[in-house]
Amino acid sequence: MSICVTGGAGYIGAHIVRLLRRAGHEVVVIDDLSYGDATRVGQATLVQLDLADTAELPRLQAALDGCTAVVHVAGRKQVGESVLRPAWYYQQNVGGMANLLLAMEAQDVDRLVFSSSAAVYGQPKAERVREDIDLFPINPYGESKLIGEWLVRDAARAWGLCGVNMRYFNVAGAGWDDLGDPAVLNLIPMVLEKLSEGSRPRVFGEDYPTPDGTCVRDYIHVIDIATAHMVALDYLDREERPFAAFNIGTGAGTSVRQVIEMVGEVSGLDVAPVTEPRRPGDPAVLVGDVDRIEQTLDWKARHDLRSIVDSSWRAWQSGPRRVMP
Ligand code: WQD
């Protein structure tokens, strides 16, 4: 019996695939390879298809044959892009989830771990966000993730799907040097790219109501994300496994300036940043309350900021865009 990982050729998905394989599971990866890299999936079976393409439903159902559970990571995740292309984000993220659930129901695959996002919270007032607050996403990316969560809930009610929604905070780092984040879309790779260009890192706004004026986020190591998915799969095998959403974070906030300073410490480089205007839509603080996952799944993040940044640096320097001495 296998476990299916959609998006398993991507940054986060490849870490989940590698842990599953090392735990002895057979793994089927479904990925359209628009961002993923086939070499990342190792010995797992790779089925290349676009989940959002309804014409692919027969192949999708065939790919799920013999699977006992799905970890659904595939999706578009760029906030800025979602604002410019909302319909495409709904087609990809919501349409892809709908097709996946249709195929799972047809194949009696009734366990699903869904890669959701802290983006469903929008700009909450709380210093630490609990899963049960009202959800007001502020961009089409976060909206598409919230609708995905509703689809999981509705499938649980309609045909008994056992699902959990995993709300990622800011994922970074690399579990292995060959699995670094290939996209330059988030703070740490964006800082490293500037250093590779011989430029100064950028700080988008330093007039926020935070201790050093820069935005605060909950940075979580990608290998902690992957281990949280392993325990979520075990949770779905329990007798009692009520449908739930879980924050995956550390519960600790780190500012942009602190992250950049840590890059300087681990790299030994001059990382003095240049301050630019605020980026629209950035909440000042977004940090997860992680009591529920710690108590329910007995899981806790094990990697600190230094480990995150050091692993990002090592993976970056092992790749083609390394910072030259
Ligand atoms: C973090 C902070 C920027 C680059 C992400 C994505 C998505 C989602 C939630 C899972 C912000 C600042 C950035 C730079 C900077 N995760 N920044 N200089 O915006 O919190 O959202 O996490 O679904 O990955 O939505 O992450 O890394 O883009 O930015 O000052 O060069 O760093 O303004 O305050 P964000 P981010």
Side-chain angles (χ1 to χ4, degrees):
M1 303 299 270
S2 304
I3 293 176
C4 171
V5 180
T6 74
Y11 165 51
I12 296 172
H15 282 85
I16 296 170
V17 170
R18 194 165 289 186
L19 284 194
L20 285 169
R21 292 282 299 151
R22 292 191 174 199
H25 293 284
E26 292 299 318
V27 177
V28 174
V29 169
I30 292 176
D31 200 299
D32 66 3
L33 296 184
S34 58
Y35 267 96
D37 174 349
T39 63
R40 287 169 167 249
V41 305
Q43 301 304 308
T45 302
L46 174 61
V47 177
Q48 182 176 357
L49 66 83
D50 176 4
L51 282 174
D53 181 354
T54 304
E56 290 278 33
L57 262 174
R59 287 184 65 224
L60 176 54
Q61 285 183 0
L64 293 179
D65 194 30
C67 289
T68 54
V70 175
V71 180
H72 179 35
V73 184
R76 305 296 166 185
K77 68 163 194 171
Q78 298 174 41
V79 169
E81 183 182 55
S82 80
V83 173
L84 299 174
R85 303 185 66 190
W88 187 61
Y89 262 67
Y90 275 78
Q91 182 208 48
Q92 291 287 300
N93 290 357
V94 176
M97 171 68 94
N99 285 341
L100 177 64
L101 289 172
L102 286 169
M104 289 178 70
E105 184 179 6
Q107 292 286 45
D108 294 324
V109 181
D110 65 355
R111 285 164 169 67
L112 173 64
V113 178
F114 173 45
S115 156
S116 185
S117 166
V120 302
Y121 295 118
Q123 297 185 316
K125 297 280 183 290
E127 280 289 301
R128 268 187 185 68
V129 187
R130 291 171 51 88
E131 291 89 347
D132 54 5
I133 69 165
D134 292 335
L135 303 176
F136 298 108
I138 58 170
N139 52 62
Y141 165 68
E143 292 163 353
S144 72
K145 285 295 187 180
L146 178 55
I147 296 171
E149 291 194 9
W150 294 343
L151 283 169
V152 173
R153 175 201 62 196
D154 294 342
R157 291 172 179 166
W159 55 272
L161 174 74
C162 303
V164 284
N165 295 314
M166 310 293 272
R167 294 175 183 164
Y168 302 177
F169 281 75
N170 289 60
V171 187
W176 295 270
D177 288 356
D178 65 322
L179 295 188
D181 187 353
V184 184
L185 300 170
N186 295 106
L187 175 60
I188 294 174
M190 289 171 77
V191 168
L192 294 175
E193 182 177 67
K194 283 296 177 188
L195 295 172
S196 290
E197 293 167 355
S199 305
R200 292 167 63 183
R202 298 172 295 171
V203 171
F204 298 147
E206 57 176 5
D207 58 349
Y208 285 95
T210 61
D212 66 13
T214 67
C215 288
V216 172
R217 295 288 184 274
D218 185 339
Y219 295 93
I220 174 86
H221 199 297
V222 62
I223 206 71
D224 280 330
I225 291 280
T227 59
H229 285 69
M230 302 293 281
V231 295
L233 284 166
D234 292 341
Y235 169 79
L236 293 176
D237 284 335
R238 291 184 194 172
E239 280 305 307
E240 291 299 314
R241 64 249 167 152
F243 164 73
F246 294 104
N247 286 338
I248 317 184
T250 65
T254 303
S255 76
V256 172
R257 192 172 289 283
Q258 287 171 318
V259 171
I260 294 175
E261 285 167 359
M262 183 58 75
V263 173
E265 277 190 41
V266 304
S267 67
L269 298 173
D270 173 7
V271 293
V274 61
T275 297
E276 297 194 352
R278 289 187 176 192
R279 189 173 68 171
D282 275 338
V285 179
L286 193 57
V287 176
D289 178 305
V290 291
D291 288 347
R292 179 185 286 184
I293 193 170
E294 288 180 9
Q295 291 159 10
T296 310
L297 303 189
D298 189 26
W299 173 92
K300 193 176 175 64
R302 296 179 181 282
H303 294 81
D304 62 8
L305 180 67
R306 179 176 297 276
S307 170
I308 291 170
V309 174
D310 186 57
S311 65
S312 294
W313 170 247
R314 286 203 315 274
W316 184 270
Q317 290 299 91
S318 73
R321 300 171 294 193
R322 68 180 63 84
V323 179
M324 303 310 281

